[in-house]
Structure formats: structure tokens, C-alpha cells
Amino acid sequence: MNEKIEKLQNIIDESSNIVFFGGAGVSTESGIPDFRSMDGLYNQEWDYPPEEIVSRSFFYRDTKEFYRFYRAKLLPVGIKPNKAHFKLAELEAAGKLKAIVTQNIDGLHQMAGSKVVYELHGSTLRNYCTGCHASYDVQFILDSENHPKKLPLCTKCGELVKPDVVLYQEGLNDEIVDNAVKAISQADTLIIGGTSLNVYPAAGFIRYFKGKNLVMLNKSVTSQDIHCDLVIHEPIGEVLDQIVVKK
């Protein structure tokens, strides 16, 4: 393990354009469960699998049930960034890390201080009216549980408020995709962390990497491990916390 940490340290020291591509495993150490492990226990309370509940068709078909699940399981209330988030922000401040491309919707990277974050799947911190496009914060969504209809309805026009997240059956934002692909294609080092690379099209973004060092930091084995220059199967926060950032 120490040998692998030393190799990661050397890679980071020698790199000048690092991009981090992350998934749910980055936030599990903050207490947010991996979405793909939400079966079993959660299905004891919900009659549908999580993937179906957070789909566009379900959102409009059974909006009340969508928000019951969304408020209970997907809003990062009281959740704080962990060692991985803070170390990545530190790497950016030192000029080493140029961008974070994340599949997460919790906003923890920005909370830790990161500036250049491309959120492929949007953010739970932003919400908008489907009618007049007025913006609302997380607290508004939480408070909607007390609304007679149990729904977040716009205070200006009365229409439904929708989270600014990419639901199943919806496409990614073209501008964010373009920026993410550009950042990855220009990187000399790509660090993949906390993702099994099973969710497409996001997982396919790594094929644009043409740089020198491909690093995988994930607790479990992935299909891309054999293509990486360094693979560490340990909690990402524990790994990155051992890295010394040198300006």
C-alpha cells in the first residue's frame, strides 16, 4: 500500500494538468449511500426500485411519491465534505488539478472549495419552476413536505418545481459535456475515483483521455483496472489524505 501511495504522490508531483473523474464512492465517506446499493433495505419502504423512481416518466406520473423518496434519500441535509473533497480542492488551489468531472449531485465538491466542477448529472442544490423558471433552494424542497399537496409548487406562478438533476430518460447538458470532454482530453493525468464506471454515457468520457497517467482509486474492481497505470482498491478519502500537495 505504501508503495502505491508513493507512486501516486510521484504522479501528482510530476503532473501539471490533472483532471479528477468521480462517482458516488467519493461521497460515501460523507455518509451518502452509493445509489446502486439502494435496493433491498430501501425497497422495504418503497414499492419501486430507485432507478424507476428517479426517472422522468415517474416524476410526472407519481410526483408525490417521487418527492417522498427524493426528500428522504437524495438531499444531502447535514452532510459535510470528506477528506477526498478537501484534498481535491487543495490540489486545485495549488494549480495541479484543473477540473473535476463528477457524476454526483450533492454539491460537496463546491462546499469543500473546488471551483471548476462539471456536474454531469446536475445538482440537488438547484431547483427551478417548470413554468416560469424561478429558482429555489434545497430548503424550499424540504419545506414542501408540509404543503397540503406534499409538492413544491412555485410561489410565483403555482407550477411544479423540479430539481436541476438529470433523471433517467433525460439527456445530459451539452455545454457541461463539452467542457468535461475538453478537460479530460487536455489532461496529462486522469484520476478516476469512487465509480464502478457502469453508468453511461458518463462512464464513456474516459475514452477521451490521451495523457500519460491513468489512475484508478476505487474500493472494488472495475472493468477499466487493466488499462490503468495505477490501481488502488481502498477508500478514496483515506488514499488522498496521505498525499502531500506541493505547489
Side-chain angles (χ1 to χ4, degrees):
M1 183 62 182
N2 290 337
E3 184 178 326
K4 288 192 172 185
I5 294 295
E6 184 177 344
K7 183 174 180 179
L8 177 59
Q9 181 74 64
N10 290 335
I11 287 174
I12 290 174
D13 289 346
E14 295 170 3
S15 301
S16 59
N17 188 339
I18 303 171
V19 169
F20 179 82
F21 181 93
V26 179
S27 295
T28 53
E29 291 169 64
S30 291
I32 298 178
D34 183 340
F35 189 81
R36 306 196 79 77
S37 65
M38 285 188 179
D39 300 307
L41 178 62
Y42 287 2
N43 283 339
Q44 294 174 17
E45 182 178 350
W46 280 272
D47 296 328
Y48 308 90
E51 289 86 353
E52 181 177 352
I53 297 175
V54 293
S55 66
R56 180 179 178 85
S57 56
F58 192 95
F59 176 80
Y60 287 106
R61 183 176 77 244
D62 194 344
T63 311
K64 186 182 294 185
E65 183 68 1
F66 169 90
Y67 270 114
R68 189 168 77 90
F69 177 85
Y70 183 79
R71 283 189 292 258
K73 296 300 180 184
L74 294 183
L75 292 183
V77 180
I79 301 295
K80 302 296 183 183
N82 60 53
K83 294 175 181 177
H85 297 106
F86 286 117
K87 185 63 67 172
L88 291 169
E90 188 180 351
L91 284 167
E92 182 188 46
K96 288 284 189 178
L97 184 75
K98 302 303 182 183
I100 291 173
V101 180
T102 180
Q103 300 173 80
N104 296 340
I105 58 176
D106 50 46
L108 292 180
H109 284 297
Q110 292 92 327
M111 198 179 300
S114 292
K115 306 298 183 185
V116 183
V117 183
Y118 300 123
E119 298 171 308
L120 297 177
H121 298 151
S123 173
T124 60
L125 304 185
R126 301 185 300 269
N127 307 275
Y128 65 92
C129 172
T130 55
C132 68
H133 301 292
S135 298
Y136 292 92
D137 60 13
V138 173
Q139 193 60 47
F140 181 81
I141 301 299
L142 289 169
D143 292 344
S144 68
E145 187 173 12
N146 300 319
H147 190 280
K149 293 185 177 181
K150 301 289 185 181
L151 296 174
L153 301 178
C154 180
T155 57
K156 297 179 174 62
C157 71
E159 292 296 317
L160 181 65
V161 173
K162 182 180 182 295
D164 188 15
V165 298
V166 179
L167 302 177
Y168 285 98
Q169 303 166 346
E170 293 183 332
L172 304 183
N173 179 283
D174 288 341
E175 183 179 355
I176 292 175
V177 167
D178 289 344
N179 287 331
V181 168
K182 182 179 180 181
I184 291 172
S185 66
Q186 294 177 345
D188 56 19
T189 293
L190 177 63
I191 301 176
I192 303 169
T195 175
S196 57
L197 296 174
N198 288 327
V199 178
Y200 284 82
F205 283 28
I206 65 171
R207 72 178 185 272
Y208 293 102
F209 176 65
K210 307 299 181 184
K212 181 180 180 181
N213 304 297
L214 183 59
V215 178
M216 174 66 72
L217 309 178
N218 198 54
K219 290 176 68 174
S220 59
V221 175
T222 79
S223 60
Q224 294 298 315
D225 285 5
I226 59 173
H227 303 298
C228 295
D229 301 290
L230 175 64
V231 177
I232 301 179
H233 291 147
E234 298 291 339
I236 187 170
E238 294 180 14
V239 172
L240 290 180
D241 190 47
Q242 299 177 64
I243 297 301
V244 177
V245 179
K246 304 170 185 176
K247 297 183 179 180

